[in-house]
């Protein structure tokens, strides 16, 4: 992706399309089988994912430290954003849509089709943490690390839920919310989320909100663009927040990444992507930014002989 040339160039970061096994993540091949977590020799298969959705950085791993949910491939995988090599994977899961790394190192993922939040232990054991409803999509780890919050992206469910990691009762944090997709907490403790859903394709009306998870109140952040005539995004699909509070929001169609000052709403174009569609954003601890994509090419290819 290229760098933007907006006036607030201080917001810009190096933007890289995430690459796995030498293939751009936004397009991959359905293998027609469940890729094993490891091969008989103990190595990890390098079969490319079908597509990638939500992502999370693993603070306990060196090198291959980015986890990603592969919705169509029903798997979670960890890869190295520098080399594209897959370091760890768990297949045969649900419709994994988004993922976070819990403080104990386990993976917490949303299953949109099944309506569940699951925990995947690093030995491969899988358990259902909570049944919350079909269409559950974005997930974020609360700053205290004791719970996750989840939202809904494809149904009429308008809630934001808090799911304790100790198996405690699920709480409704807020309701009456718009359709949500990948979101993230800012240093101010608020949860920033894209709005508009697929409907925002018509008229480019996708936007940004901030949710106070302690009260359930929301604030619409009016976006102001340098591009003449632009008032919103064509399918705002994912948000992550940098350590300085800059909010990064992705446009799904004609993929582009914008850096937003949440105090003013000023949105600076950071870069565009040549790929077909974007799905989520991840700000790495070193300041780089990854975009994932979910467009899949269907194939009857099998798993035999792949490396």
């Amino acid at each position: 992706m290229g760098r933007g040339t907006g006036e607030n160039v201080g917001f810009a970061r190096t933007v890289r399309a995430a690459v796995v096994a030498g293939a751009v993540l936004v397009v991959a091949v359905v293998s027609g089988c469940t890729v094993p977590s490891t091969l008989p020799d103990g190595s990890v298969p390098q079969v490319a994912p079908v597509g990638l959705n939500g992502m999370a950085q693993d603070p306990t791993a060196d090198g291959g430290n980015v986890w990603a949910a592969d919705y169509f491939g029903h798997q979670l995988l960890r890869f190295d954003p520098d080399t594209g090599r897959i370091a760890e994977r768990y297949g045969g899961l649900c419709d994994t849509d988004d993922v976070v790394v819990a403080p104990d190192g386990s993976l917490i993922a949303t299953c949109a089709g099944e309506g569940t939040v699951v925990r995947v232990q690093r030995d491969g054991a899988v358990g259902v943490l909570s049944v919350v409803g079909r269409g559950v999509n974005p997930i974020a780890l609360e700053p205290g690390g004791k719970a996750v919050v989840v939202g809904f992206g494809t149904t009429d469910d308008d809630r934001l839920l808090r799911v304790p990691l100790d198996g405690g009762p699920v709480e409704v944090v807020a309701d009456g919310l718009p359709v949500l997709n990948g979101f993230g907490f800012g240093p101010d403790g608020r949860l920033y989320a894209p709005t508009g859903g697929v409907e925002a394709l018509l008229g480019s009306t996708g936007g940004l909100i901030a949710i106070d998870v302690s009260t359930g109140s929301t604030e619409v952040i009016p976006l102001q663009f340098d591009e003449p005539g632009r008032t919103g995004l064509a399918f705002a699909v994912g948000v992550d927040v940098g350590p300085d509070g800059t909010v990064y929001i992705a446009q799904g169609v004609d993929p582009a990444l914008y850096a937003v000052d949440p105090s003013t709403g000023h949105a600076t174009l950071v870069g565009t992507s040549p790929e077909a569609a974007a799905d989520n954003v991840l700000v790495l601890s070193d300041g780089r930014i990854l975009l994932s994509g979910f467009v899949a090419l269907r194939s009857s290819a099998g798993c035999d002989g792949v490396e």
Side-chain angles (χ1 to χ4, degrees):
M1 301 184 75
R3 293 178 70 92
T5 57
E7 61 187 53
N8 286 348
V9 293
F11 280 146
R13 298 288 189 273
T14 299
V15 181
R16 299 182 58 185
V19 176
V20 166
V24 177
L25 293 183
V26 78
V27 179
V29 175
V30 176
S31 65
C33 62
T34 298
V35 180
S37 297
T38 58
L39 296 173
D41 63 1
S43 63
V44 178
Q46 296 301 300
V47 180
V50 178
L52 291 192
N53 297 75
M55 299 176 289
Q57 191 165 11
D58 189 340
T60 67
D62 295 326
N65 63 352
V66 175
W67 282 98
D70 178 2
Y71 180 96
F72 292 109
H74 309 291
Q75 63 182 325
L76 298 173
L77 52 86
R78 178 168 62 88
F79 68 94
D80 186 334
D82 291 317
T83 67
R85 186 158 188 82
I86 299 171
E88 194 173 355
R89 73 193 309 156
Y90 300 102
L93 303 177
C94 57
D95 296 334
T96 50
D97 205 307
D98 204 354
V99 61
V100 297
V101 182
D104 67 356
S106 63
L107 307 172
I108 312 298
T110 52
C111 302
E114 295 80 0
T116 57
V117 179
V118 300
R119 185 197 297 268
V120 181
Q121 302 289 354
R122 301 298 275 271
D123 62 2
V126 182
V128 174
L129 189 61
S130 182
V131 178
V132 295
R134 289 176 62 86
V136 61
N137 186 319
I139 187 171
L141 183 69
E142 281 192 344
K146 295 183 178 180
V148 293
V149 292
V150 300
F152 295 81
T154 57
T155 72
D156 294 329
D157 201 322
D158 61 6
R159 300 171 298 162
L160 178 71
L161 304 180
R162 181 179 186 270
V163 182
L165 297 183
D166 64 3
V170 174
E171 305 169 21
V172 178
V173 174
D175 56 17
L177 297 174
V179 169
L180 300 177
N181 208 326
F183 49 36
F185 280 100
D188 59 1
R190 296 196 297 174
L191 185 69
Y192 290 86
T195 63
V198 178
E199 292 80 3
L201 285 171
L202 301 176
S204 296
T205 56
L208 177 67
I209 61 171
I211 305 170
D212 185 332
V213 295
S214 64
T215 65
S217 63
T218 62
E219 176 191 358
V220 176
I221 299 176
L223 299 180
Q224 303 174 37
F225 298 87
D226 296 324
E227 301 150 88
R230 178 179 285 277
T231 58
L233 300 177
F235 195 12
V237 290
V239 162
D240 201 10
V241 187
D244 64 351
T246 301
V247 178
Y248 294 92
I249 184 168
Q251 176 172 272
V253 176
D254 295 328
L257 181 71
Y258 288 84
V260 179
D261 181 343
S263 66
T264 65
H266 184 256
T268 301
L269 177 64
V270 178
T272 60
S273 169
E275 302 307 325
D279 185 82
N280 238 295
V281 183
L282 176 64
V283 181
L284 299 177
S285 58
D286 62 8
R288 292 179 298 167
I289 303 170
L290 302 184
L291 292 183
S292 65
F294 61 88
V295 176
L297 295 178
R298 299 283 173 180
S299 170
S300 60
C303 294
D304 294 341
V306 297
E307 299 180 356

